[in-house]
Amino acid sequence: MSIRVAVVGAAGRMGSTTCRALADAEGLELVAAVDPLRAGQSLADVAAVSGNASSLVVADNLDALVAAKTEVAVEFTGPGSVGANLVGLLERNIHAVVGATGIALGDLDRARELAERGPARALVVPNFAIGAVLMMRAAAEAAKYLPHVEIIELHHDGKVDAPSGTALRTAELIAQQRASVPDSPGGDERHPGARGAIHADVRIHSVRLPGLVAHQEVILGGAGQTLTLRHDSLDRESFMPGVVVACQRVSTLAGLSVGLEHVL
Ligand code: NAD
């Protein structure tokens, strides 16, 4: 029997691509799409992106997901709403696959509690592209041997949060593997921000430009050498196999997990 799935943030760039991918995926049935309407948008537009307008429940709040007997919901809204939606899904006993970045720590703690105690599980995935998962893993491994490391992340100019969730996660994975944190020269930073933001003791530089999708470089430096690891998502299709496998497997996980590697 197919798993009943829904998309929250269904009219957005990621949400609409996800609706199409889920509607075509084996073993999944897209039953609901949630998105508040924006100027110039209609419910029919949102339903049409799924290619399944006749049976799809389209709504502007999570309650409709219960009526649609949703088992798994994919969250692709943004930093202002993702935390409350994650908690709201778990409170409604719906497994949550979260792609949006910027969950507030308080919401994450509450979600972890709900996912451990209740019947619904949560999988938070900063990047669904398999290449990005491999790049993060390689960066963490390389940092064991080359602890001097900085991250440059590059995204389209519509991205609302910086640094990206992928960059933050990469820094955390590096911090878990590095035996020591080398001094990171700040120099005389004449313009604030020139040396980037610091997360988990790793410097992160964020580029925002039209034409970009989602890209990241991790540069490690050693005596007389550098190692550059780079991943490019050239199209949002790159995220879809990861989204599909996350929906298929989230119910088999324990509690709340972070990272696509849990379902690979
Ligand atoms: P977008 O602005 O194009 O889409 C967001 C959509 O969410 C909009 O249609 C908006 O109306 C809707 N929305 C806002 N508040 C809502 C709410 N409370 N309930 C339901 N819908 C709501 O953004 P995007 O480019 O699609 O990115 C969405 C998120 O996904 C961002 O946080 C981005 O960083 C993240 N992202 C994650 C990955 C990944 O692999 N995990 C990849 C790309 C983007």
Side-chain angles (χ1 to χ4, degrees), residues 6-8 32-34 61-70 73 89 92 94:
V7 178
V8 184
V34 175
N61 66 75
L62 297 185
D63 288 333
L65 301 188
V66 178
K69 296 188 173 63
T70 303
L89 290 169
R92 289 168 177 79
I94 296 169

Side-chain angles (χ1 to χ4, degrees), residues 86 90 95-96 111-124 250-258:
L86 166 59
L90 296 173
H95 302 296
R112 193 167 274 124
E113 219 177 275
L114 286 166
E116 270 161 21
R117 281 209 326 254
R121 308 286 174 242
L123 178 61
V124 176
V250 60
S251 66
T252 66
L253 300 173
L256 182 148
S257 312
V258 179

Side-chain angles (χ1 to χ4, degrees), residues 7-16 34-38 41 59-62 75-82 85 98-102 125-129 155-156 158-161 164-166 214 236 239 243:
V7 178
V8 184
R13 285 171 287 242
M14 287 300 292
S16 55
V34 175
D35 203 303
L37 297 179
R38 287 178 292 188
Q41 253 184 341
D60 64 359
N61 66 75
L62 297 185
E75 217 292 350
F76 267 126
T77 64
S81 40
V82 56
N85 281 340
V98 180
T101 48
V125 182
N127 199 312
F128 283 101
H155 282 82
H156 61 89
K159 184 168 176 58
V160 292
D161 53 327
S164 71
T166 303
R236 291 184 177 85
F239 303 115
V243 173

